[in-house]
Amino acid sequence: MAATNPELARAGTGAPRSPLSETWRQLRGPLVYLLPAALVMLTVTFYPLVFQVWMSFTDYGVIREEGKQTLNRFGPGGLPPANYRPAEGVGLQNYTDILTNEPAFVARLGGNFDFWRILGFNLWWTFSNVGFHVSLGILIAVLLNVEGLWGRKIYRAIFILPMVLPNIVIATVWRNMFDDQYGAINQLISMIAGSPIQIRWFNQIDPPIPGIPLPLSYYAMLIANIWLGWPFMSIVATGALQSIPKEMYEAASIDGATGRQQFWSITLPLLRPAMVPAAMVGIVMTFNLFHIIYFMSGGGPLGRTEIMVTQAFRLVNVNQLYGVAAAFSVLIAAVLIPIFLITNRITRATETYDG
Amino acid sequence: MASVATTPARSGSAVRQGSSKSGRQLKWWQQALYQALCLFIGATVLFPVLWIVSMSLDPRNIARPTELNLIPPGASLDAYRQVLDRPTGNPVTFAELAMNSLRLAGGVALFALLIGVSAAYAFSRFKFPGRQYAMIAVLGITVLPAVATIAPLFALLNGIRITATLLSIALAIAGLLAAGFGLLIIVPAWRAGTAVGSTYLLGGVALLMGLILLVTAASPPANDIFILRNSLLGVGIAMISGALPFAIWNLKGYLDTIPKELEEAAIIDGASANQIFFQIVLPLSTPALAVTGFLSFTAGWTEFFLSWQFLTNPQDFTLAMALYNMTGQYAGSVPWSRFAAFSILVSLPVAIVYLMLQRYIVGGLTLGGVKG
């Protein structure tokens, strides 16, 4: 490390130093490079996060009976408007309201809020999607890696399309494709069936599979998100596949291993080091995937497909309960931080790079 | 699913058994089976794309499509013309929406790059106390969803209200600072004869930032009191909150892969840390700068929830907000052919650049896998 670091290399010789000056000597070099980013992040990233924690213990945004609001501190002439009041501390009430689904609180949100259902659905949404992404990604990568396959380059070029288009466009296009009256999916099903069929993808409340409490809109969004997500996994898997030495397969087949045995005991184990970090990235990304849910089902029907981030947005955008939204966001962080730490542990992302 | 799982694997091995003979042919039934699979997958991938393209060419201007056809009768570009003229009910043209998105995305991407690359260099090449914690903080932020900070950002930015004149002065000072920073990067290197492509790139980015800020300063907002929250500048600041940590992390990952031998040689030749950064590391990281800048740009180009929550003046509206207004039940009387044309126009610029940068993007995304 010392030899690779210019500052350390230059200061390599010298008199013995006190610990404090040692710290300063180590900081002096990188400080100039870090300072602009550190200042910006302290102001626009970390300060808002601290402010968020404070907000989560207040009634920020709540309009009381007498019509007093907390948000707009500035009226004409820069003075507080007549109906302004500072936000008041409410202790842990926002958190207990959310975690216990307090009836009066749920009623104020329109009656469909259920924290544990949202969290459960969000986790199921994440793992079901990433499961499909990874397995389809690997299978299609293996298929395209078959030697002697015609048109491999053309297929690779086509299969990358879902990655190329912006998420928001994909979400809105799939929303319209699943439209119950004019959508392409219902028209396609009608064409195959030979008679007009109108599936109410986003409005049907009864679960299509009895016993599994997932509405039809979940399956519609699952299809859209599988379409969106597998090409990334496939590209990661292709990169890893091409680094597996062919000799391993040759040796295995000499020993009499069947294709299936080779897939399970050579291909899959050697793909693991590449696929595990990619799956971790996929898990965090899918957990926070705002666009598909918000633009396709909007959380419906009856809030059954709401995930954490769409609910957080709704708390601000529709309900204007800033304090509650802040508490809700702190809870999102509480769910994500363990996932992040596990990810960081597995991928060793923040460990020192020493080459 | 299970049947699909085993077939390609078996075939893969079957081929590899004979891979010592180069250019081996598949058996005809294998080729047919795999072609059928690939064509089926290709059809599912292409179906939405073809649907939207076909609809955008529909000249009949009907409110909603009622049948599936690849090329609609009498295909024309009418929908594109209409959408360029006036995409939504609001009296704004496509160009105005695109300009707002461009300013937002370009500003955020340039700013994040300029500030992010030096921090990434520090994380990648220096060992200093607290480095591990700082890196965990940066990476941890990239894991948190941007939506989850919308409440404090809204409240804080909503509290910043200044007069239009004061805003212009502040922006002009910031613009001059950025431009001066750009000149500081370019001029000394140029006079010393050590300027390279990336010196100009980074300096040019700073100059461009300065120019954007100066132009913004010269066109003061209509209202007398300027509310930072209700402006593209406010949305941009809120975006930087997440875009900067992302840029730092992405660039750091790339810098880690640049071999250090060149720098070691430069140290022996007596180069300073600044010289190494500008003359060795920056030129080598041009692809990473391009990719990170592009990814940040795409995020800004399609940014939705912050703009939707913050902005109330139609002249500030962005492409993503218009797209939401044209979707599903919110579309009102806007024909779907216009929605289709609009989606294509929004996607094309980023899709083309993505394909151009594809090799580098995929390399960057799979970097983590190599390290694990």
Side-chain angles (χ1 to χ4, degrees):
Chain A
M1 188 70 207
T4 64
N5 184 320
E7 292 296 325
L8 287 185
R10 203 164 312 105
T13 56
R17 290 163 292 260
S18 71
L20 201 66
S21 76
E22 175 71 22
T23 305
W24 168 242
R25 194 182 54 77
Q26 285 188 350
L27 260 179
R28 198 182 47 194
L31 200 59
V32 185
Y33 291 96
L34 283 174
L35 204 59
L39 288 178
V40 172
M41 276 187 70
L42 281 178
T43 339
V44 301
T45 309
F46 292 112
Y47 175 59
L49 284 179
V50 174
F51 191 74
Q52 165 132 299
V53 175
W54 173 78
M55 274 174 95
S56 73
F57 297 107
T58 68
D59 62 351
Y60 214 101
V62 175
I63 298 171
R64 295 241 179 265
E65 289 78 26
E66 58 272 34
K68 298 247 182 194
Q69 52 90 13
T70 61
L71 203 59
N72 189 1
R73 281 190 285 141
F74 299 93
L79 297 169
N83 65 346
Y84 173 76
R85 67 175 177 90
E88 288 164 29
V90 292
L92 288 169
Q93 197 200 326
N94 290 334
Y95 290 96
T96 51
D97 278 355
I98 294 171
L99 292 173
T100 60
N101 300 319
E102 211 272 319
F105 167 75
V106 172
R108 194 161 48 176
L109 299 182
N112 289 328
F113 181 88
D114 179 343
F115 177 78
W116 300 102
R117 189 202 61 219
I118 294 172
L119 177 62
F121 177 77
N122 203 350
L123 290 171
W124 171 249
W125 161 254
T126 306
F127 289 101
S128 57
N129 273 293
V130 175
F132 275 112
H133 292 169
V134 172
S135 44
L136 278 178
I138 291 178
L139 292 177
I140 294 170
V142 170
L143 174 65
L144 281 185
N145 214 36
V146 170
E147 257 177 78
L149 184 79
W150 295 336
R152 195 196 313 227
K153 278 198 173 143
I154 299 168
Y155 289 128
R156 287 225 167 103
I158 292 174
F159 290 179
I160 200 178
L161 263 177
M163 285 181 73
V164 167
L165 301 172
N167 267 357
I168 190 167
V169 171
I170 291 172
T172 51
V173 167
W174 276 97
R175 161 66 188 81
N176 282 358
M177 297 236 311
F178 277 111
D179 194 87
D180 47 9
Q181 289 186 57
Y182 314 106
I185 301 289
N186 277 356
Q187 287 168 8
L188 189 70
I189 294 173
S190 303
M191 245 168 70
I192 293 168
S195 60
I197 287 175
Q198 210 181 77
I199 301 174
R200 295 162 70 238
W201 289 99
F202 297 116
N203 298 315
Q204 183 183 318
I205 295 165
D206 302 325
I209 302 173
I212 300 175
L214 292 165
L216 199 52
S217 58
Y218 161 76
Y219 298 96
M221 293 190 293
L222 185 68
I223 292 171
N225 198 33
I226 289 173
W227 184 88
L228 169 69
W230 69 259
F232 167 64
M233 295 299 173
S234 189
I235 282 175
V236 175
T238 302
L241 271 181
Q242 286 168 352
S243 66
I244 300 178
K246 291 207 178 81
E247 290 75 27
M248 295 191 74
Y249 292 102
E250 283 163 17
S253 61
I254 288 168
D255 290 346
T258 65
R260 196 185 297 229
Q261 284 171 330
Q262 291 180 22
F263 178 74
W264 288 106
S265 40
I266 298 177
T267 311
L268 273 192
L270 288 176
L271 285 183
R272 234 182 81 91
M275 295 317 289
V276 167
M280 289 293 176
V281 171
I283 285 172
V284 172
M285 267 168 62
T286 312
F287 189 88
N288 293 332
L289 195 65
F290 178 85
H291 288 125
I292 295 282
I293 304 269
Y294 194 79
F295 289 101
M296 286 187 69
S297 76
L302 301 179
R304 298 264 172 84
T305 57
E306 203 84 73
I307 61 170
M308 305 281 275
V309 283
T310 56
Q311 182 64 55
F313 185 64
R314 204 172 297 282
L315 285 170
V316 169
N317 190 251
V318 178
N319 307 113
Q320 307 200 346
L321 296 172
Y322 294 83
V324 177
F328 196 80
S329 300
V330 171
L331 292 173
I332 295 181
V335 176
L336 274 172
I337 284 170
I339 297 180
F340 162 68
L341 289 177
I342 295 167
T343 310
N344 195 26
R345 189 68 182 269
I346 291 174
T347 59
R348 282 174 259 151
T350 54
E351 273 182 20
T352 311
Y353 171 75
D354 272 326
Chain B
M1 191 57 49
S3 65
V4 186
T6 49
T7 25
R10 191 181 301 153
S11 66
S13 62
V15 176
R16 281 189 193 94
Q17 283 171 8
S19 67
S20 48
K21 291 177 279 176
S22 62
R24 191 197 130 90
Q25 302 262 304
L26 287 171
K27 291 197 189 78
W28 70 268
W29 62 267
Q30 286 176 321
Q31 186 71 266
L33 179 65
Y34 301 148
Q35 289 297 332
L37 273 174
C38 283
L39 285 174
F40 173 74
I41 298 164
T44 64
V45 167
L46 283 176
F47 183 61
V49 181
L50 291 179
W51 183 68
I52 208 81
V53 170
S54 143
M55 203 157 61
S56 78
L57 296 173
D58 201 315
R60 289 167 291 175
N61 212 12
I62 42 174
R64 301 287 184 269
T66 47
E67 57 192 355
L68 287 174
N69 39 19
L70 191 57
I71 299 172
S76 81
L77 295 174
D78 276 358
Y80 290 90
R81 197 176 42 72
Q82 288 160 355
V83 101
L84 285 174
D85 190 38
R86 188 174 165 177
T88 56
N90 286 318
V92 283
T93 64
F94 183 87
E96 285 169 320
L97 292 170
M99 200 59 210
N100 286 334
S101 285
L102 188 67
R103 279 165 63 195
L104 182 64
V108 168
L110 292 180
F111 188 84
L113 270 192
L114 198 65
I115 307 272
V117 69
S118 70
Y121 175 63
F123 280 129
S124 175
R125 290 301 195 265
F126 290 94
K127 197 173 189 176
F128 54 89
R131 174 179 177 277
Q132 194 79 358
Y133 298 107
M135 265 178 17
I136 288 178
V138 170
L139 183 59
I141 297 294
T142 64
V143 174
L144 290 184
V147 188
T149 50
I150 199 167
L153 286 170
F154 184 92
L156 290 171
L157 291 170
N158 195 48
I160 299 178
R161 287 157 197 244
I162 50 178
T163 61
T165 357
L166 202 62
L167 172 77
S168 285
I169 295 170
L171 284 177
I173 292 173
L176 288 175
L177 278 177
F181 184 54
L183 290 176
L184 206 67
I185 293 174
I186 293 178
V187 173
W190 177 65
R191 289 177 67 182
T194 56
V196 285
S198 62
T199 321
Y200 293 118
L201 186 72
L202 201 69
V205 165
L207 278 175
L208 203 63
M209 273 303 296
L211 206 66
I212 291 174
L213 286 170
L214 285 174
V215 169
T216 319
S219 53
N223 308 13
D224 199 28
I225 295 289
F226 174 77
I227 307 170
L228 188 55
R229 181 265 304 169
N230 196 358
S231 72
L232 283 172
L233 186 66
V235 176
I237 291 173
M239 278 202 77
I240 286 288
S241 168
L244 181 59
F246 168 77
I248 294 175
W249 189 252
N250 219 25
L251 288 166
K252 185 230 163 236
Y254 185 85
L255 292 185
D256 281 350
T257 65
I258 297 178
K260 291 175 178 173
E261 285 72 22
L262 282 169
E263 291 159 59
E264 284 161 14
I267 293 169
I268 294 168
D269 290 344
S272 73
N274 284 335
Q275 283 173 321
I276 290 173
F277 177 59
F278 281 110
Q279 292 171 24
I280 295 176
V281 175
L282 271 187
L284 287 174
S285 56
T286 312
L289 289 174
V291 168
T292 311
F294 167 72
L295 291 177
S296 311
F297 182 90
T298 310
W301 183 250
T302 59
E303 202 293 314
F304 171 73
F305 41 80
L306 288 168
S307 330
W308 191 258
Q309 170 72 19
F310 284 19
L311 302 174
T312 56
N313 302 323
Q315 72 265 22
D316 289 332
F317 286 178
T318 62
L319 291 171
M321 296 168 77
L323 188 63
Y324 185 55
N325 276 330
M326 300 169 94
T327 309
Q329 67 266 41
Y330 313 104
S333 58
V334 180
W336 276 15
S337 57
R338 280 196 225 175
F339 160 78
F342 191 81
S343 317
I344 291 171
L345 288 175
V346 170
S347 312
L348 263 189
V350 288
I352 290 169
V353 181
Y354 195 107
L355 289 174
M356 276 164 29
L357 294 175
Q358 183 190 340
R359 194 159 55 93
Y360 299 114
I361 295 177
V362 170
L365 290 175
T366 49
L367 220 58
V370 178
K371 282 179 68 186

